[in-house]
Amino acid sequence: MAKQYPGPHAEAPVEHKGRRWWRVMCLTGLDYFSTLGYQPGIAALAAGLLSPVATIVLVIVTLLGALPVYRRVAKESPHGEGSIAMLERLLSFWKGKLFVLALLGFAATDFLITITLSAADATAHLVENPHLTSALSGKQVLITLLLVALLGGVFLKGFSEAIGLAVFLVAVYLALNVVVVVNGLWHVLKSPHLVTDWTDALTAEHGNVIAMIGVALVVFPKLALGLSGFETGVAVMPHIEGDPEDTEEKPTGRIRGARKLLTTAALIMSCFLITTSFITTLLIPKAAFEPGGPANGRALAYLAHENLGNTFGSIYDISTIAILWFAGASAMAGMLNLLPRYLPRYGMAPHWARAVRPMVIVLTLIAFLVTWLFDASVDAQGGAYATGVLVLISSAAIAVTIAAHKAGQRNWTIAFAVIAAVFLYTTGVNIAERPDGVKIGACFIGGIILVSFLSRLRRAFELRVTDVVLDEAADRFVRDYTHRTMRLIANEPNTRGLAEYQEKKREVRAHHDIPADIDLVFVEVTVRDPSEFESVLDVHGEVLHDRYRVLTLESSSVPNALAALLLTIRDRTGQLPHIYFEWTEGGPVGHFLRFFLFGQGEVAPVTREVLREAEPDRSRRPRVHVG
């Protein structure tokens, strides 16, 4: 049947011209590859001489853990929703909604810290540039706040992600990093004693290889920033060009392109992570990594200036600042795309969730607060950033484990379960050592749940039916009343036996003084998932015991379903339908909570209130009777 009541969030599908997967990869690279600006320095502080070994552990986890997980996510969720949507489908009712809201809080943490951390590292590259250090020294917080404000100003004016600009920035940045890495490896090769001194120091500090690997496994969670690009990788899937025969239900070409994107990005990043951790550990003095040191938060830029001169180093700084700033822009766009995708369905008012400018102002102010609390320090924000990244990856690993189990794939279920255990361990260690990310995530979670709850409460009596679909029998029942009034009995079914319908009909006629010759139709509502804010109303008609016509409905809320049905009958027949209820025993507060949480409660007054909001004209409002 045709749509009767299009939902407030219904939009016509928009056709997007896809781009080649390697071009779209550069959108991911804004976030993923830009971490090279600070990852080697954070790794050196966390692992010291073991930085290259710990980085190899990170690469192994990347290629054998995160990559297989997100290749599966790309297949299971090919429209950019990511692992959060997978869990939303796998988990139902309120527990699923609350879990998704919690994940949204950590996703917001991930994106927000991407903005503040990237801005702080861009500031570090500015302040430590030899041409600017004397003028900008001591102004890190102010400069970072200005960069965040500039980012917010761009979005207030209007921002559209330009894939072409992303390709240019990523290509230039990676090319400059290749030069720095090759030059660094050449310096190591021409001074073999550097490797000897490093291995001797490792042996003296840790004793043997097994002890080194053990320590590397312990410190590995502190390096988790290097896993930051996978959730972004699946989020940009809708931009990927598919095959001509692709459909929305089966976008085979898009999935193949996304898998190429994820694999290529992971391989590129893995090569850079290993080589940069090696050359920075061997070529940069330990003291230079410490807070306030010239290599803190900018290890590769330090090598660029030291080994290739200040001119090349300044070019490298400009490139790094540009990609870090644009990574913040990508993160802001990610939040503005992610939150409206879920919150309206959970009851947040559409104009709240889609009011871009107010949301940009709020997010910018939060970024100001985070920058001030962390004193614009790259090192201090690393733990919070890693927490957001790891929680999302852990949730993705859990989602694909459940999906593989439901698909009966035993080997994949075991493999994904092991990967999930690794990421859960890593997340737990990171949270225990650096709880800042959980604190920020908890603030976002609390704020999102509170706003969603208040909005849902305010919209409790809003008509929330997106479609009314009548089967053939139901449509025939309705058409029979084109020239007379249709009268419905709201019935909560029990055994659905003959005596039940006889007694119900007798009571309604007696309570409302309805003559015996007037026809009555029963209507029964089954609540499927009361946590859904909006739902499609499926209406089925049947004749029970060869005499009683019954309309059965499936919805997330009994009053909303009945109100939508009554309005549909009015519009199709041109007659005002009547519906008859019995009062329900119990207090009004308890009934309202039952309606709010479970879609039931005192149905009669709520149905009337939904009708009153949906149809302001009393003369056109279906009649509600209670006895």
Side-chain angles (χ1 to χ4, degrees):
M1 305 300 298
K3 292 186 178 182
Q4 300 298 312
Y5 297 98
H9 320 303
E11 295 179 356
V14 179
E15 294 293 331
H16 295 286
K17 182 179 181 181
R19 307 293 185 94
R20 299 292 298 276
W21 66 266
W22 59 268
R23 292 176 65 86
V24 179
M25 182 183 72
C26 294
L27 280 178
T28 305
L30 293 173
D31 176 20
Y32 197 18
F33 299 145
S34 67
T35 58
L36 290 172
Y38 45 81
Q39 171 76 8
I42 289 178
L45 277 178
L49 294 172
L50 270 176
S51 175
V53 180
T55 301
I56 290 173
V57 173
L58 172 66
V59 167
I60 291 172
V61 173
T62 297
L63 298 180
L64 301 183
L67 181 59
V69 164
Y70 277 93
R71 283 173 62 89
R72 179 66 177 252
V73 171
K75 177 183 177 182
E76 299 281 347
S77 183
H79 303 297
E81 301 97 333
S83 59
I84 296 178
M86 289 181 63
L87 287 169
E88 186 184 33
R89 292 194 299 268
L90 294 169
L91 300 173
S92 60
F93 299 100
W94 284 108
K95 63 179 181 294
K97 299 293 185 298
L98 293 174
F99 188 67
V100 169
L101 287 173
L103 289 180
L104 286 175
F106 283 109
T109 302
D110 181 8
F111 286 126
L112 185 78
I113 300 297
T114 297
I115 294 171
T116 58
L117 181 62
S118 298
D121 196 49
T123 300
H125 283 79
L126 270 174
V127 172
E128 295 296 334
N129 185 283
H131 300 295
L132 301 173
T133 185
S134 59
L136 301 179
S137 180
K139 298 181 175 64
Q140 285 89 337
V141 174
L142 177 61
I143 295 171
T144 304
L145 291 174
L146 288 174
L147 288 175
V148 173
L150 179 62
L151 177 66
V154 169
F155 276 88
L156 287 175
K157 187 169 180 62
F159 175 84
S160 177
E161 279 186 338
I163 292 181
L165 181 56
V167 171
F168 173 77
L169 288 175
V170 168
V172 171
Y173 183 66
L174 292 183
L176 293 174
N177 274 286
V178 168
V179 174
V180 174
V181 168
V182 170
N183 179 266
L185 292 173
W186 179 76
H187 274 81
V188 171
L189 288 175
K190 75 175 185 177
S191 303
H193 68 88
L194 292 173
V195 178
T196 305
D197 293 344
W198 174 60
T199 55
D200 290 344
L202 274 178
T203 303
E205 188 172 317
H206 300 287
N208 56 61
V209 174
I210 295 177
M212 294 177 197
I213 295 175
V215 174
L217 290 172
V218 172
V219 301
F220 151 71
K222 297 180 180 179
L223 278 63
L225 293 174
L227 295 165
S228 65
F230 286 98
E231 196 71 29
T232 313
V234 293
V236 299
M237 280 188 67
H239 295 285
I240 298 175
E241 180 183 57
D243 294 336
E245 59 272 18
D246 275 6
T247 63
E248 282 299 302
E249 293 75 24
K250 193 174 181 180
T252 306
R254 180 193 296 172
I255 294 171
R256 185 173 61 253
R259 288 180 160 185
K260 289 180 181 179
L261 180 157
L262 293 167
T263 304
T264 305
L267 290 173
I268 292 173
M269 193 62 176
S270 296
C271 292
F272 274 114
L273 286 173
I274 293 174
T275 53
T276 55
S277 67
F278 181 70
I279 63 173
T280 52
T281 302
L282 269 63
L283 296 177
I284 300 177
K286 181 180 179 180
F289 290 113
E290 299 295 332
N296 182 256
R298 56 185 301 277
L300 294 178
Y302 175 89
L303 288 181
H305 282 278
E306 286 290 313
N307 297 337
L308 295 163
N310 287 335
T311 301
F312 180 88
S314 295
I315 295 172
Y316 184 87
D317 283 337
I318 293 171
S319 173
T320 305
I321 292 167
I323 195 171
L324 285 167
W325 185 85
F326 211 65
S330 178
M332 180 73 83
M335 276 192 288
L336 295 177
N337 289 330
L338 182 68
L339 296 179
R341 181 176 290 167
Y342 291 96
L343 297 183
R345 300 207 308 272
Y346 291 1
M348 179 175 277
H351 59 273
W352 291 3
R354 297 192 177 183
V356 173
R357 286 181 172 82
M359 190 176 289
V360 167
I361 292 173
V362 171
L363 293 173
T364 302
L365 291 175
I366 296 174
F368 283 171
L369 179 62
V370 171
T371 298
W372 177 69
L373 290 175
F374 286 103
D375 200 29
S377 168
V378 174
D379 301 327
Q381 295 178 75
Y385 186 31
T387 298
V389 171
L390 287 170
V391 168
L392 291 179
I393 294 180
S394 298
S395 69
I398 292 171
V400 297
T401 302
I402 297 173
H405 175 70
K406 289 194 171 185
Q409 300 169 329
R410 184 172 179 273
N411 292 337
W412 276 117
T413 301
I414 295 172
F416 286 136
V418 171
I419 295 171
V422 170
F423 282 119
L424 287 171
Y425 156 77
T426 306
T427 304
V429 171
N430 187 78
I431 290 173
E433 292 187 357
R434 298 179 289 182
D436 297 323
V438 172
K439 294 176 182 177
I440 296 174
C443 292
F444 272 110
I445 292 167
I448 288 172
I449 290 177
L450 178 63
V451 171
S452 295
F453 177 82
L454 292 176
S455 174
R456 188 165 181 138
L457 189 65
R458 188 181 67 84
R459 301 175 66 195
F461 303 115
E462 180 180 305
L463 186 65
R464 307 190 314 252
V465 172
T466 56
D467 293 308
V468 178
V469 182
L470 283 72
D471 69 3
E472 185 178 349
D475 186 54
R476 186 171 63 251
F477 290 174
V478 171
R479 281 190 283 107
D480 283 348
Y481 290 87
T482 303
H483 302 294
R484 56 194 174 116
T485 300
M486 188 172 190
R487 300 177 185 271
L488 302 168
I489 300 175
N491 182 48
E492 186 174 353
N494 189 11
T495 63
R496 305 191 86 196
L498 175 61
E500 176 183 340
Y501 292 101
Q502 287 176 331
E503 178 63 18
K504 186 74 172 181
K505 200 167 188 178
R506 185 193 65 77
E507 289 179 355
V508 168
R509 289 191 186 280
H511 292 163
H512 300 282
D513 196 23
I514 301 175
D517 61 338
I518 291 183
D519 213 5
L520 294 172
V521 178
F522 288 90
V523 58
E524 301 171 348
V525 181
T526 300
V527 176
R528 294 177 299 182
D529 182 356
S531 66
E532 289 289 340
F533 185 74
E534 296 179 332
S535 63
V536 173
L537 181 62
D538 296 309
V539 185
H540 305 280
E542 54 185 323
V543 178
L544 296 182
H545 311 294
D546 297 324
R547 67 178 75 178
Y548 298 117
R549 288 191 287 186
V550 182
L551 293 174
T552 59
L553 320 179
E554 291 184 355
S555 180
S556 60
S557 167
V558 175
N560 266 274
L562 293 175
L565 175 65
L566 292 168
L567 291 171
T568 299
I569 293 171
R570 179 201 67 183
D571 294 343
R572 285 177 175 242
T573 64
Q575 306 290 328
L576 288 180
H578 292 237
I579 189 166
Y580 299 90
F581 293 94
E582 285 185 0
W583 286 114
T584 305
E585 295 295 326
V589 176
H591 281 312
F592 176 75
L593 290 177
R594 284 186 62 211
F595 161 67
F596 185 75
L597 296 174
F598 306 113
Q600 300 175 353
E602 184 59 85
V603 176
V606 178
T607 302
R608 189 262 178 191
E609 186 62 20
V610 173
L611 286 169
R612 189 182 68 82
E613 286 205 9
E615 178 52 77
D617 186 351
R618 294 182 64 178
S619 65
R620 301 193 69 246
R621 196 180 299 158
R623 305 297 190 237
V624 176
H625 307 270
V626 191

